[in-house]
Amino acid sequence: MALPPPDPQFVLRGTSAEIHTLHFSCGSQEPDYPLLFSGSSNGLIHIWNLKTRRVDTVLDGHGGKSVYWVEAIYDRDRLLSQGRDQKICLWDLAEGRNTVTDSVFTENVGFCKCSLLRVAQGHWLMAMPGKDLDEIQVLELPSKTSVCTLKPEADAKPGMPMCLKLWQPDFGSCPFLLAGYEDGSVILWNLSEAKILSRLTCHLEPVMSLDFDSEKTKGVSGSSEKVLSVWSLDEQQNLKVQKTQELINAGIADVTIRQDKKILATAGWDHRIRIFGWKKLKPLAVLSYHTATVHCVSFSDHRRPNERLLAAGSTDHRISVWSVYNEI
């Protein structure tokens, strides 16, 4: 008989606003303690100490506009944050500092989150929505040099990019970008030639979120529909639908594959978090705690598998933190 779903291991409260993004930083050695970064609809970023389960620092750099993407770099001495003020900020968090040292103006008013890929020691690529509605800009960091601008042909008409995922087959190899669009399609871009390699219509509605497993060359996407779509990339770089998973309720705000590629989690408009096996998309658990839309889910990067956590952020101003399926 199946075990009942667990309760959250703990709940983080105190943001006084909707939680729109989450990012863990737990891989550091002692005496560093695990952190969770959260971005809220009121423009604040909270840095949570997961040992004390309290806020260590609050960052305010987006003029009260919603923060919907955060990611730590340089062993969490720096933080990137993206807000509805059309700014991407670089924060200096080293030695107790919390200042914005650089920023990029996106000129884009959508909700498309940036994607970051480390390509060399101290160097990253960052994909972000571009100036034109259907455009994606890729920059090199920290120089902010433009690498390429990705713009579909005039007759392609996929609409706005809704979600982005930079990846590379092997460290040091040619990077690619997967982008989910307003028309329900996923497009694979070659960055070195700034051209489309493949386009696949996976959804009837805009693609809200996607994630990609570069080892298995297989990805997953969700939309406002009642379906999860799993698709794969063949050796000719063609995207093909592999499987669709019907859901009870419509609306997937976020989807993420755990780093060990064993399970994935979805954030639902129906207030629930769903866990699936990644190999066959077998439904494993439905986690019920929140009283409103779950906007984001994130797995921790703990080095020890038994310490791994899953966090979910919601419209109800709370962050639930779970310990699930760490034994598989």
Side-chain angles (χ1 to χ4, degrees):
M1 193 172 144
L3 293 171
D7 292 324
Q9 201 167 56
F10 54 92
V11 176
L12 303 174
R13 298 176 176 86
T15 60
S16 304
E18 297 182 18
I19 311 297
H20 283 176
T21 186
L22 294 165
H23 173 72
F24 280 99
S25 179
C26 305
S28 300
Q29 303 283 1
E30 297 286 351
D32 281 348
Y33 42 81
L35 297 178
L36 176 64
F37 299 87
S38 67
S40 303
S41 59
N42 59 3
L44 300 181
I45 299 158
H46 291 77
I47 305 177
W48 301 86
N49 178 331
L50 295 180
K51 278 199 169 173
T52 63
R53 300 176 186 176
R54 294 180 181 277
V55 173
D56 266 4
T57 312
V58 180
L59 308 176
D60 184 359
H62 289 279
K65 304 288 187 184
S66 175
V67 175
Y68 55 96
W69 178 74
V70 289
E71 192 155 333
I73 56 174
Y74 292 112
D75 289 332
R76 73 193 195 190
D77 281 347
R78 301 286 186 277
L79 181 76
L80 288 161
S81 64
Q82 178 186 12
R84 286 283 286 169
D85 58 348
Q86 300 173 271
K87 258 188 359 190
I88 299 160
C89 294
L90 176 66
W91 299 83
D92 178 5
L93 304 180
E95 299 172 345
R97 293 188 290 272
N98 52 19
T99 52
V100 175
T101 58
D102 205 350
S103 62
V104 176
F105 188 61
T106 65
E107 299 185 79
N108 185 285
V109 294
F111 283 99
C112 182
K113 299 178 181 183
C114 293
S115 178
L116 199 66
L117 177 71
R118 190 168 78 95
V119 289
Q121 189 67 38
H123 292 273
W124 290 264
L125 291 181
M126 182 175 71
M128 64 183 201
K131 185 177 180 180
D132 291 346
L133 282 179
D134 62 351
E135 197 175 272
I136 299 165
Q137 188 79 29
V138 181
L139 303 181
E140 193 275 342
L141 296 180
S143 70
K144 300 195 291 184
T145 307
S146 177
V147 174
C148 59
T149 300
L150 308 175
K151 194 173 171 64
E153 299 283 339
D155 58 351
K157 297 186 175 154
M160 289 190 296
M162 306 293 290
C163 47
L164 307 171
K165 180 73 178 181
L166 283 165
W167 65 281
Q168 56 189 160
D170 303 292
F171 190 70
S173 62
C174 172
F176 297 90
L177 176 75
L178 284 157
Y181 284 86
E182 196 177 4
D183 72 342
S185 66
V186 172
I187 291 178
L188 175 68
W189 289 92
N190 177 324
L191 298 193
S192 59
E193 298 176 23
K195 72 171 189 180
I196 291 174
L197 293 176
S198 182
R199 179 180 179 181
L200 177 70
T201 300
C202 318
H203 300 275
L204 300 173
E205 298 290 334
V207 184
M208 306 295 290
S209 178
L210 63 79
D211 202 0
F212 187 69
D213 175 352
S214 59
E215 292 166 25
K216 297 187 179 77
T217 59
K218 187 174 81 164
V220 59
S221 54
S223 72
S224 58
E225 305 158 283
K226 291 202 285 190
V227 69
L228 263 183
S229 180
V230 174
W231 29 269
S232 58
L233 196 58
D234 67 18
E235 290 177 359
Q236 285 74 45
Q237 309 283 22
N238 292 315
L239 291 164
K240 294 179 178 176
V241 173
Q242 198 173 63
K243 179 173 179 163
T244 54
Q245 175 69 44
E246 288 287 326
L247 303 170
I248 305 287
N249 299 312
I252 295 294
D254 196 14
V255 58
T256 184
I257 304 166
R258 195 166 70 184
Q259 288 90 330
D260 65 357
K261 314 296 193 290
K262 298 281 182 69
I263 61 173
L264 69 92
T266 64
W269 293 1
D270 64 356
H271 315 171
R272 290 172 177 82
I273 305 143
R274 285 181 165 77
I275 310 294
F276 298 86
W278 178 222
K279 192 174 181 181
K280 297 180 179 175
L281 217 65
K282 179 185 175 184
L284 298 176
V286 179
L287 306 180
S288 299
Y289 168 77
H290 292 284
T291 57
T293 293
V294 181
H295 287 295
C296 50
V297 280
S298 180
F299 284 109
S300 74
D301 53 346
H302 281 97
R303 291 185 177 166
R304 295 191 191 98
N306 65 331
E307 295 178 349
R308 288 183 298 216
L309 298 169
L310 166 67
S314 168
T315 297
D316 65 14
H317 301 187
R318 289 176 286 187
I319 301 166
S320 59
V321 183
W322 310 74
S323 176
V324 290
Y325 291 98
N326 284 342
E327 69 284 353
I328 63 171

